[in-house]
Amino acid sequence: MFDQLKFYLKHSFNDLSVNKRLTFFALLSIAAGVAAIVSLQTLSLMISRTLEDNLQESNRGDVSAVVVSSFGEDDPDTELAYTQAVEDGILTEEEINIFGQTDTSYLVSETGIEAIQTWIDESDFAGEATFTYQTAVADDFSILVGTGNGTNITVESTGEQASQVSSFVVDPAIYPFYGEITMLDGSTLAEVLQSPTDIVIGENVLETIDVNVGDTVSVNGANELFTVRGIVAIEEAVQNPLQDIFAGLFGFYIIGQDSIALFDDMSIAYDDFFFQLDDPARAQEFEDALGEAFLFFSTTSTNDLRDSNEVLVEQLTQLTTLMGLISLLIGSIGIVNTMQVIVRRRMLEVAVLKTLGMQGGQITLLFLTEAFLLGIIGSLVGIVLGWLGTFAIRGAAEAIFATQLPFVLAPAPAINGFIVGVIVATVFGFLPTLAAAQVRPGIVIRPQEGVAPRAGWWQSLLVLIFIIVVIALIAQTILGSDFLLSLGVVAGAFIGAGIIYVILWVLIWLVGRLFPSFGLVDLKVSLRQMLASKGRGASTLLALVIGVFSLSTITLFADAINNVLTEVLEGSGGNVLISVQGVNQLDEVEALLTGFDGVNSYRVSRGYQMELVEWQDSETGETFSSEALLESLTDRDISFPPFFNGEDEERIELQQELLTGTFISPVVEGREIIEDGTAQMLIGTDLTVEDAQSDIPKIIFAEDPIVSEILNPGDLVTYTVVSQNPFGGSTTEDVTFEIAGITAASITLSFDSGSYAPANVFPESVTPASISVFADVDEDRLPALRQELSNIQGTFALPTSIFTRLLTSLVQTFTAFPTLVAALGLVVGGVVIANSVALATMERRNEIAVMKAVGLQRERVLGMLLLENSILGLLGGLIGVGTGLIGVIAFAQTADVPLDAVPWLSAFGLMMLCVLVAVVAAITSAWAASGEKPLTVLRYE
């Protein structure tokens, strides 16, 4: 037994050594997949350790608390607590008007600070708990519009200005309780913030203005200049990229709490609190007591953070390991192809061994040993590549988690990658080795008649079932799911891959047979070669399609979202959105825009709050009040969005809510009709200039799943137009409209229901619910215009580009990691192509030598090989990217997104990337083969 094993190992090592090129690309296929597992698992472990080790530092204390400015409608106790806290002076209450919508903001006052300290002194934590707090000069809305105090920094020496800047006001002597906020030069926050006029600038502010330590800057709203004492990295101050999105996107600064006195008309109030305990083990107990005493706090202890981090890390680990396994399975295609070539090239050797007495089972074990050794060596190489790959991908994770991730050489990912790599390489190498056992000894006598043998169908089926079971066991270990579920998923994946393989095989056959050669000999030879190796070409395409599909789907969806936003902003009528509080301010705004240099055009949008009185169906003549219309939904057969799976009662309730917002109580835009409308209509026609002067005014409704099935052109609707008087009471007036049509779905930068009617039909006595102005302004004049508008009470200007930056930042944050993982899959697909090309050139050495012997130059031979793989790459791109593109189009149709938003150019670029990957992979394999001397090949082959 031992002698047999020794023979198998020695023979396999010798074969791997002799066939160096074959061995290299087989090892590369395994190593690429293992590297994906090791790198992704190592990264997951780094994230896990960082989050676990920095719980107190991440939380800025043992317990953190933030003031919540909202409470449930069915929570009278909390509402009473807020009211009482405001009356006691613990909370400050401020009404905020945003685009006509009123919201309430609550902050803890100086009296509240004393109340919290008194509670601690009288609780079981007296003398055992201390706290500090953080606040901002301006709230998030003021930062967004860039007009509030403390939202703009100007360099005194150059006049350069950074806007939308966030502020962190802290007590530098004790903040933070755990860890330190360190400047780029190594100094700490406590060391640099010594005076009220000292300021620390976030590193991302430098993207907008050129500022250095020691420079003097002004902050709008402050009555003294500040001196820059330090530059700090984003991750040092921004603990939660989503919560502090403006700070991460536009920039931030840090000042001491004594600096608040430098800002005019600013009341001191706080919203973030951090508590440190002498005994951190009592964090949960303290959190419960604090939340019970102050109902306006949302609290987070280190225990809460640990639990949420564990869930996050577990999901991340499962995702990364599963994606790594998929990459390894893609690489296993290279193993299958390699072992097939090995068997085919060594048929004579196998025949000799069987003539000397070896049995079929021993031959299978011999080749299986070789696959096993390939798995071991390839996995070891993959571990090293995986560690190197971790350096390349951890930057994306650091951006997502806003923290540094120290590199670790952990054994667990390496062991997992090694075990999985060896198992997968061995089991996938099993099926081709069965064919070796079918070689007949007679081939020694008639080698020229040797045809590659095939394993029996029942043997192949058993081996395939064995492979599925093994992969299912691995998947169960990764996902922690039921084995039968894992088995079903893996079996389904194999069946799906088999179906795709057959489709690709047929596609290659069709291209090889039907694609015209245009009289080009090189193209004809390439097409013939594709026909001769349909099986390998299909398996190679399968690996490429999987990788490019994942990458293209993520990329195309992200680009589609950005395109939608760009289209919305371009269709809004300007690059600045101006919110106006009332009609009196509108006159001032229009006067300013008319005389301001740099304003090219503007349009006014007025939104009117409407309440349905009655609707008259033009087809039946029936009249419905709003109550009767809502009740009639139970008798109407209305299709519903496919994502809703609720019972009938839930469906009707949701339909009533939707109908109320879009038809019964909508906000309708009063639009100036100066030319006939050109909107795409679902039914009816858009408003014309004649409609604006009609005796019965016309109205257009936006497409809606319910409204579109109820309303028809010609229906009459009577609305009460309502305006709220800020000093109490309201003004109302009824207006009857004729429905002109329903617009096809579109996305606009609007804060109403999307419905509109001529502006002149709305009563002058009624005040609009919201007034917005869209202005087209020269970019260099924007700061000056915003400054002028800030002098008009209740008015602010918001560049529409901010929406692009916000959404783009969010999309990039959420797609960075999946894109990285998908790119790894594409790299593995490229490796499989390189492997496939290497195998093809080895099998075609004689053919290549003959072509060179009859006069073909190396460049032409290489060109034919590249042409062949370019066609495969193009097919892979068309299928992979095309499938992703179909998914984006289907989503756009479902979500009523215009097809103009579909990123056609990006799809074309991804297809060309697929071709490039195929060509580069082919060059790495075919370059040496195309340069071999014909005499050398023909002599020894």
Side-chain angles (χ1 to χ4, degrees):
M1 181 68 180
F2 179 75
D3 290 338
Q4 277 188 332
L5 179 61
K6 183 178 179 181
F7 170 75
Y8 292 156
L9 291 173
K10 184 177 181 179
H11 192 279
S12 298
F13 272 120
N14 180 67
D15 183 68
L16 293 177
S17 176
V18 171
N19 297 287
K20 294 183 179 63
R21 287 182 60 200
L22 203 63
T23 302
F24 172 76
F25 284 103
L27 293 177
L28 196 59
S29 297
I30 302 170
V34 172
I37 290 179
V38 173
S39 59
L40 292 174
Q41 277 202 343
T42 301
L43 182 64
S44 177
L45 186 63
M46 290 161 52
I47 294 171
S48 175
R49 290 187 177 182
T50 301
L51 295 178
E52 180 67 28
D53 294 342
N54 298 339
L55 287 175
Q56 292 172 312
E57 186 174 340
S58 299
N59 204 34
R60 297 299 196 201
D62 298 303
V63 175
S64 64
V66 61
V67 179
V68 180
S69 294
S70 61
F71 41 82
E73 296 179 359
D74 299 328
D75 192 0
D77 292 338
T78 305
E79 183 176 2
L80 181 62
Y82 273 76
T83 303
Q84 188 62 50
V86 172
E87 291 179 358
D88 295 340
I90 296 175
L91 290 180
T92 65
E93 183 179 28
E94 182 181 358
E95 296 292 331
I96 301 176
N97 186 282
I98 305 175
F99 302 114
Q101 304 298 317
T102 302
D103 197 6
T104 304
S105 173
Y106 295 95
L107 295 174
V108 175
S109 64
E110 289 286 349
T111 303
I113 297 292
E114 297 174 2
I116 295 172
Q117 185 62 59
T118 300
W119 172 80
I120 292 176
D121 294 338
E122 296 176 353
S123 70
D124 295 337
F125 299 91
E128 299 180 16
T130 56
F131 71 97
T132 186
Y133 28 81
Q134 173 184 289
T135 190
V137 178
D139 56 37
D140 286 345
F141 181 70
S142 297
I143 295 170
L144 179 63
V145 300
T147 57
N149 284 341
T151 58
N152 297 298
I153 296 177
T154 304
V155 183
E156 284 299 296
S157 59
T158 64
E160 293 181 330
Q161 186 180 85
S163 58
Q164 279 90 36
V165 184
S166 299
S167 56
F168 297 105
V169 183
V170 300
D171 182 353
I174 59 176
Y175 177 86
F177 284 127
Y178 298 98
E180 291 181 338
I181 296 180
T182 307
M183 308 299 108
L184 296 182
D185 61 7
S187 56
T188 65
L189 190 67
E191 293 172 345
V192 298
L193 291 185
Q194 299 288 334
S195 165
T197 57
D198 292 336
I199 188 172
V200 168
I201 303 293
E203 188 178 15
N204 49 352
V205 175
L206 303 184
E207 299 174 4
T208 307
I209 58 176
D210 184 14
V211 62
N212 299 290
V213 175
D215 288 351
T216 301
V217 298
S218 63
V219 179
N220 67 312
N223 51 37
E224 289 192 33
L225 298 177
F226 288 86
T227 303
V228 178
R229 298 300 184 187
I231 308 295
V232 63
I234 299 175
E235 60 270 13
E236 290 285 333
V238 179
Q239 290 299 299
N240 188 330
L242 295 180
Q243 179 179 329
D244 298 323
I245 185 171
F246 293 151
L249 187 61
F250 302 121
F252 64 92
Y253 62 88
I254 307 174
I255 55 177
Q257 60 184 18
D258 293 340
S259 303
I260 292 179
L262 302 180
F263 289 86
D264 297 327
D265 302 325
M266 179 179 174
S267 58
I268 302 177
Y270 308 90
D271 54 357
D272 288 322
F273 292 80
F274 310 95
F275 298 85
Q276 184 182 45
L277 306 177
D278 292 346
D279 182 9
R282 300 183 67 189
Q284 190 63 53
E285 181 184 350
F286 180 85
E287 179 191 16
D288 295 340
L290 180 67
E292 184 177 346
F294 301 98
L295 296 181
F296 50 78
F297 271 150
S298 173
T299 58
T300 303
S301 68
T302 49
N303 294 333
D304 298 330
L305 202 57
R306 180 182 293 107
D307 292 341
S308 61
N309 287 348
E310 286 176 354
V311 173
L312 175 63
V313 169
E314 181 181 359
Q315 294 174 343
L316 185 62
T317 302
Q318 289 180 346
L319 172 65
T320 54
T321 307
L322 189 60
M323 293 303 295
L325 178 60
I326 292 174
S327 297
L328 182 57
L329 294 179
I330 294 174
S332 66
I333 294 175
I335 300 296
V336 174
N337 290 338
T338 302
M339 295 307 297
Q340 286 177 338
V341 174
I342 287 175
V343 170
R344 189 176 295 114
R345 288 174 62 87
R346 295 170 61 188
M347 282 170 49
L348 185 59
E349 174 191 338
V350 172
V352 171
L353 291 174
K354 295 190 76 173
T355 303
L356 296 175
M358 289 190 71
Q359 302 298 312
Q362 293 175 314
I363 297 295
T364 298
L365 285 175
L366 176 64
F367 283 92
L368 202 59
T369 301
E370 191 165 328
F372 179 72
L373 290 176
L374 284 172
I376 292 177
I377 301 172
S379 296
L380 291 174
V381 175
I383 290 172
V384 177
L385 293 178
W387 283 335
L388 294 175
T390 305
F391 283 101
I393 64 177
R394 69 171 177 170
E398 288 178 339
I400 294 172
F401 291 93
T403 185
Q404 295 288 336
L405 298 174
F407 178 74
V408 292
L409 286 175
I415 294 172
N416 291 339
F418 179 81
I419 293 174
V420 174
V422 172
I423 291 175
V424 170
T426 304
V427 297
F428 273 90
F430 194 10
L431 189 60
T433 60
L434 287 177
Q438 310 302 316
V439 175
R440 295 180 179 180
I443 198 174
V444 176
I445 304 173
R446 300 183 301 276
Q448 70 277 8
E449 298 178 11
V451 178
R454 296 180 181 273
W457 68 267
W458 63 270
Q459 289 179 311
S460 301
L461 181 61
L462 288 176
V463 171
L464 187 59
I465 292 174
F466 173 72
I467 292 174
I468 291 174
V469 170
V470 171
I471 301 301
L473 287 171
I474 297 174
Q476 180 194 15
T477 304
I478 294 172
L479 301 177
S481 60
D482 179 77
F483 173 72
L484 292 178
L485 176 61
S486 299
L487 182 62
V489 171
V490 173
F494 269 77
I495 293 173
I499 294 173
I500 296 174
Y501 173 85
V502 172
I503 294 174
L504 295 174
W505 190 96
V506 173
L507 184 61
I508 292 175
W509 182 86
L510 290 173
V511 172
R513 287 286 184 185
L514 304 179
F515 193 83
S517 61
F518 303 105
L520 301 175
V521 176
D522 293 359
L523 180 57
K524 188 172 184 178
V525 172
S526 298
L527 293 174
R528 287 287 179 86
Q529 184 56 39
M530 287 176 58
L531 280 174
S533 56
K534 296 184 291 294
R536 184 181 302 153
S539 62
T540 303
L541 271 183
L542 179 62
L544 186 62
V545 165
I546 293 174
V548 76
F549 169 73
S550 303
L551 182 62
S552 64
T553 300
I554 296 170
T555 304
L556 292 178
F557 268 98
D559 287 350
I561 292 174
N562 289 333
N563 289 346
V564 168
L565 186 62
T566 301
E567 185 174 333
V568 168
L569 297 181
E570 290 178 351
S572 64
N575 58 347
V576 182
L577 169 62
I578 304 170
S579 177
V580 183
Q581 188 175 34
V583 290
N584 294 331
Q585 288 80 8
L586 177 60
D587 293 337
E588 296 183 59
V589 170
E590 290 196 86
L592 173 62
L593 293 176
T594 301
F596 193 86
D597 181 33
V599 176
N600 302 312
S601 62
Y602 71 89
R603 72 176 181 86
V604 180
S605 173
R606 299 172 178 84
Y608 292 88
Q609 181 63 57
M610 316 276 275
E611 295 292 338
L612 180 67
V613 177
E614 65 177 24
W615 159 55
Q616 182 179 342
D617 190 336
S618 60
E619 293 184 350
T620 65
E622 293 182 273
T623 300
F624 295 86
S625 65
S626 58
E627 295 81 5
L629 177 58
L630 290 174
E631 292 177 0
S632 72
L633 290 178
T634 57
D635 301 322
R636 295 177 182 273
D637 183 18
I638 298 175
S639 60
F640 214 65
F643 56 78
F644 183 78
N645 298 313
E647 300 295 333
D648 285 345
E649 291 184 2
E650 295 177 288
R651 177 178 60 83
I652 295 300
E653 183 178 348
L654 184 53
Q655 285 181 346
Q656 290 176 339
E657 292 179 4
L658 293 174
L659 190 61
T660 297
T662 58
F663 182 59
I664 294 178
S665 299
V667 175
V668 176
E669 178 190 356
R671 182 174 296 184
E672 298 289 344
I673 308 298
I674 57 176
E675 60 182 4
D676 293 350
T678 58
Q680 183 180 355
M681 305 299 294
L682 186 66
I683 55 174
T685 58
D686 198 4
L687 295 181
T688 64
V689 176
E690 185 179 348
D691 290 335
Q693 309 300 325
S694 176
D695 294 336
I696 300 180
K698 302 289 184 68
I699 188 171
I700 297 290
F701 284 97
E703 181 181 353
D704 176 88
I706 303 176
V707 167
S708 301
E709 295 197 28
I710 294 177
L711 303 183
N712 293 289
D715 291 357
L716 297 179
V717 286
T718 301
Y719 279 104
T720 296
V721 188
V722 183
S723 67
Q724 295 295 327
N725 190 326
F727 303 103
S730 62
T731 304
T732 64
E733 190 167 334
D734 290 353
V735 179
T736 298
F737 297 89
E738 178 185 340
I739 298 177
I742 298 178
T743 60
S746 62
I747 302 176
T748 59
L749 190 63
S750 175
F751 303 96
D752 52 44
S753 63
S755 303
Y756 54 91
N760 61 294
V761 305
F762 291 93
E764 295 183 2
S765 60
V766 177
T767 303
S770 64
I771 302 176
S772 301
V773 180
F774 294 93
D776 180 19
V777 183
D778 294 340
E779 291 292 335
D780 59 340
R781 296 291 292 161
L782 270 178
L785 176 63
R786 296 180 67 186
Q787 185 63 40
E788 291 292 332
L789 288 169
S790 65
N791 297 325
I792 302 176
Q793 185 178 8
T795 301
F796 63 85
L798 190 62
T800 54
S801 60
I802 288 178
F803 294 105
T804 304
R805 292 181 62 184
L806 280 174
L807 242 157
T808 301
S809 176
L810 287 173
V811 170
Q812 288 177 345
T813 298
F814 285 109
T815 59
F817 200 77
T819 300
L820 197 59
V821 173
L824 286 177
L826 184 59
V827 170
V828 176
V831 171
V832 172
I833 293 176
N835 174 273
S836 178
V837 175
L839 299 177
T841 52
M842 288 179 188
E843 292 178 325
R844 297 165 59 188
R845 291 183 75 201
N846 277 337
E847 177 189 333
I848 294 173
V850 170
M851 286 191 295
K852 296 188 70 175
V854 297
L856 267 70
Q857 298 299 314
R858 175 181 185 176
E859 292 76 10
R860 188 171 179 184
V861 173
L862 182 61
M864 283 191 287
L865 294 173
L866 297 183
L867 181 60
E868 179 183 329
N869 286 277
S870 296
I871 296 173
L872 285 177
L874 182 59
L875 288 176
L878 288 172
I879 297 169
V881 179
T883 306
L885 191 61
I886 290 172
V888 173
I889 293 173
F891 173 79
Q893 292 293 309
T894 304
D896 293 326
V897 174
L899 288 180
D900 293 344
V902 176
W904 306 103
L905 188 60
S906 297
F908 177 78
L910 286 167
M911 290 181 187
M912 292 302 100
L913 173 64
C914 204
V915 174
L916 180 64
V917 169
V919 171
V920 171
I923 289 177
T924 59
S925 300
W927 179 261
S930 65
E932 286 192 274
K933 294 181 179 180
L935 186 60
T936 303
V937 175
L938 297 176
R939 179 184 301 163
Y940 293 105
E941 282 290 324

